[in-house]
Amino acid sequence: MGEISTKTYITIIGIIFLGIGALVGIKLARRKTVVKTEIQYIEKEPAINIAENDILTDRENEILVCIIKGYSNKEIADKLFVSENTVKKHLNNIYSKLGVSRRTQAISKAKELGITA
């Protein structure tokens, strides 16, 4: 046993884990194959129009659309590929610019100012 180097052991263990990973990947890929036998109708979300404005930035407008759709901070972060803290910072900026303290107030104020339809 002393004749085989540590690098060889690490290589063998790496190959074993690679094989296990490949098998797990194949099994997961097979599980995701679903055959639908019924036709399902999915309702589309209504489009939310944001008017060009000098109050909010483009990113803040995107976040405003998400809060109108009822997304949570985590859902907004996932959708826009940012952290939840970044979403919170943008929300605070929106609240400050609109002079409100809650999401529902922000939505009402945006409608009142003509930012959203």
Side-chain angles (χ1 to χ4, degrees):
M1 281 290 193
E3 297 175 13
I4 300 176
S5 70
T6 305
K7 289 182 180 180
T8 306
Y9 282 120
I10 292 172
T11 303
I12 291 170
I13 291 170
I15 291 170
I16 291 170
F17 277 106
L18 180 67
I20 292 170
L23 289 174
V24 170
I26 289 170
K27 287 185 179 185
L28 287 175
R30 286 184 186 161
R31 283 186 193 165
K32 290 184 179 180
T33 305
V34 177
V35 178
K36 291 189 177 185
T37 57
E38 296 179 19
I39 297 175
Q40 295 180 352
Y41 296 96
I42 300 172
E43 292 184 31
K44 285 187 175 182
E45 292 182 3
I48 297 172
N49 297 320
I50 299 288
E52 288 188 31
N53 61 78
D54 295 332
I55 301 170
L56 303 176
T57 65
D58 290 340
R59 182 59 94 176
E60 291 166 350
N61 284 327
E62 288 177 296
I63 291 178
L64 181 61
V65 167
C66 290
I67 65 171
I68 291 171
K69 290 181 178 181
Y71 293 174
S72 68
N73 288 354
K74 176 151 180 39
E75 291 170 327
I76 295 170
D78 291 344
K79 180 176 172 50
L80 301 179
F81 304 105
V82 295
S83 73
E84 285 186 67
N85 286 332
T86 302
V87 171
K88 290 176 185 177
K89 179 67 177 168
H90 285 301
L91 283 171
N92 285 330
N93 290 341
I94 292 168
Y95 297 162
S96 174
K97 290 177 180 181
L98 297 179
V100 298
S101 59
R102 293 191 191 103
R103 289 174 186 243
T104 53
Q105 292 172 336
I107 294 167
S108 296
K109 187 70 169 190
K111 287 181 181 177
E112 182 181 311
L113 295 173
I115 296 172
T116 63

